[in-house]
Amino acid sequence: MALDLSIIADNAGLFAKGAVATVYISLAAIAAGLLIAFPVALLRLSPRRVMSWPAMAYVELFRNIPFIVMLSLFFYGLPFFGLRLQPMTTGIVALALFGSAYFAEIVRGAILSVPRGQMESARAIGMSYLRALREIIFPQMLRFFIPAATNTSISLVKESAVLATLSVAELTYQGLIVQGQTYAPFEVFLATAAIYWGLTALLAAGFRASERRLGGQGRRGFSSRHRLAARYLSLEPEPRS
Amino acid sequence: MDFSVEAALAALPALLRATGTNIAIAAAAMALALAGGIFLTILRSLKIAPVNLAVGVVISFIRGTPVLIQIFLFYYGLPALGLQLDPLTAGICAIAFNSTIFISEIMRGGLADMDPGPVEAAIALGLKARAIWGKVVIPQLLLRILPPLVNEATIILKGTALLSVITVVELFRTAQQISATTFRPFETMLAAAAIILLLNVLVSQFGGMLERRLAVRRG
Amino acid sequence: MTALPVLSVRGLRKSFGAMTAVAGVDLDVGAGEIVCIIGPSGCGKSTFLRCINYLERPDEGTVRIAGDYIGREPAAAGGTRLQSGRQIDRMRPRVGLVFQQFHLWPHLSALENIARAPIRLRGVDRDEAEAQARRLLARFGLAAKADRMPADLSGGEKQRVAIARALAMKPELMLFDEPTSALDPEVVGDVLRLMKELAEEGMTMVVVTHELGFARKVADRIVFFDAGRIAEMGPPDELIDRPRSERLRLFLSHFQ
């Protein structure tokens, strides 16, 4: 069969609108999620149970309930608390909180990846906990933080597709609309997927650029000393010597 | 409107029954994905340039696009290629395919961290490739990547709820149906969320237990 | 009126779970005095040091720096109460702490490692803080290393920068936690010489160390820590040459 690209061209406007909405939703959720993640991570790291326990429960709740279920919980649940939000806003809030749980675990891991002595030497000289985090710990944890946070950001872009179930007019929803009008699901969903693919690739490229600027190292290759074992243990082509 | 605990409790039996579907889907998808992951990993290890290039594109596509769209492609898109699948089959295939890719990537990382010694010894002993994979590499690899595999299993389990959008009557779909008749969507969804939360925690705990047991055996 | 001791510790206790690390310690250190703490590993001497600036929070007891309480202070109602985090943070710069593993900040140059705290915590302006940092570096023979990153410094250089970093806050008391244990033998002497100079200039110091030679030459008093307590205390010659307890004799015999 041949792909009928005219279907895509004819509906470019809808796809573009959907893509813009997806970018908007994702960026808002990523930004808010990151912001929320820091206090959650710090609470989670607290030696006091009353602080760490709620933070842990928060993280585990969001990580163990499928986003599609979580989203409908927010949609039906927020009105119980007197919050009547637009589906779009509900979606962004849910996605941001969902993301914040994953980001919080990354922040926690990143903080723990910095040797204990760094915090101790900062505190010993008189820095407050927060200042020590800002001046001493955060700059050192970026190397760990950026790659992981990028993966989570990409996940959020992908997860935002679920907002279509609330009829939020983002990319997947527009895809479903176009599909309903054209009955060409293969072309439509391939095109939708391609746009997501482009968006996530863009995010990944941004991350690689920031990592290079921070002087991070690339992925290490398989040592040439073990060329024989590399026949089994490496999936990359053999390095040219 | 007041919160009704009764509504949540009343929905439980039907929801629990529906959860069986999620578990069955997840088990099937995990089994397929594990087999697919091993196959794909061995295929990639052959380092046939055009094959690996194509695999690379597929990996990037699967990692860069929403599972929801992948499910649509399997269910709505494949008929255009002359392959009509029922929702359940299409859903299992979509999730399994997605997971195959992620498991192969997990395996790639696991292989890179493995001790080359035993493999070199096996090669030196003249073992055939089939034996090296089957007796040396794969068993060690699976042991090593058990934690991310358990994590992948929870991701699959969560993914099964997405099949509601292609009309598979699983937990979430059932919750929607119940809500439509009782007009108690929040309570019903809360019950559904609690069930899947519990299930996921159980899987994680079981994974942790398995890990500890294997760690002990390894000494 | 006699001068206040720079450090005054009373009834200090600290346990980790069932393990008692510090089991009730009283210690006064006068201005300009050098006290070396020796003892078997795991005897609580490092924990004791870390309790002094509340890096480790003691379970009981008080610590005063030149008369001012740090960490816990007498409560009006009797007993003691914990100070606020901010109060403790404000006290800490009055005590410099040098770690066995240096703990320089790897993302900052040697100069910035030294200048950062005075700028941020004391409000010293950057030019002045950097000038002070350069003076300290020059004095420690590291003038050429100001812009090096810690990863490009040798162990001995790192420790000297770490000492300069602590001194930049103009502390009234310097604590050293086995400052030479992580160093190559050939550079141990450099760091010890520097500490001796500091001592001669009148800095008050408490040094946890395994360097008995240094302790004998520099210390005014040696404290033998055993099982979380001060088991023996006295001038170096007396303590090292005429140990009273069997435990100390045994401990010293490892160094002969």
Side-chain angles (χ1 to χ4, degrees), chain B residues 114-138:
Chain B
M114 246 161 73
D115 176 12
V119 179
E120 283 168 344
I123 296 172
L125 285 171
L127 256 66
K128 295 238 165 37
R130 175 190 286 271
I132 294 178
W133 278 112
K135 295 216 156 61
V136 183
V137 179
I138 299 289

Side-chain angles (χ1 to χ4, degrees), chain B residues 64-90:
Chain B
T65 59
V67 192
L68 193 58
I69 301 288
Q70 291 163 22
I71 292 170
F72 286 158
L73 275 171
F74 269 84
Y75 182 58
Y76 296 116
L78 282 186
L81 302 179
L83 194 58
Q84 181 93 48
L85 301 175
D86 64 274
L88 188 64
T89 314

Side-chain angles (χ1 to χ4, degrees), chain A residues 118 120-121 123 131 135, chain C residues 50 104-105 107 116 120:
Chain A
Q118 291 295 310
E120 293 191 339
S121 62
R123 297 305 301 279
R131 181 185 287 281
E135 301 216 9
Chain C
R50 292 156 58 85
L104 288 184
W105 302 317
H107 59 300
R116 180 59 68 93
R120 292 287 199 274

Side-chain angles (χ1 to χ4, degrees), chain A residues 1-11 15 178 182-188 190-191, chain B residues 80:
Chain A
M1 67 155 277
L3 283 176
D4 186 356
L5 291 177
S6 68
I7 291 168
I8 313 305
D10 291 346
N11 294 285
F15 280 115
V178 176
T182 60
Y183 301 106
F186 195 64
E187 284 86 348
V188 169
L190 218 49

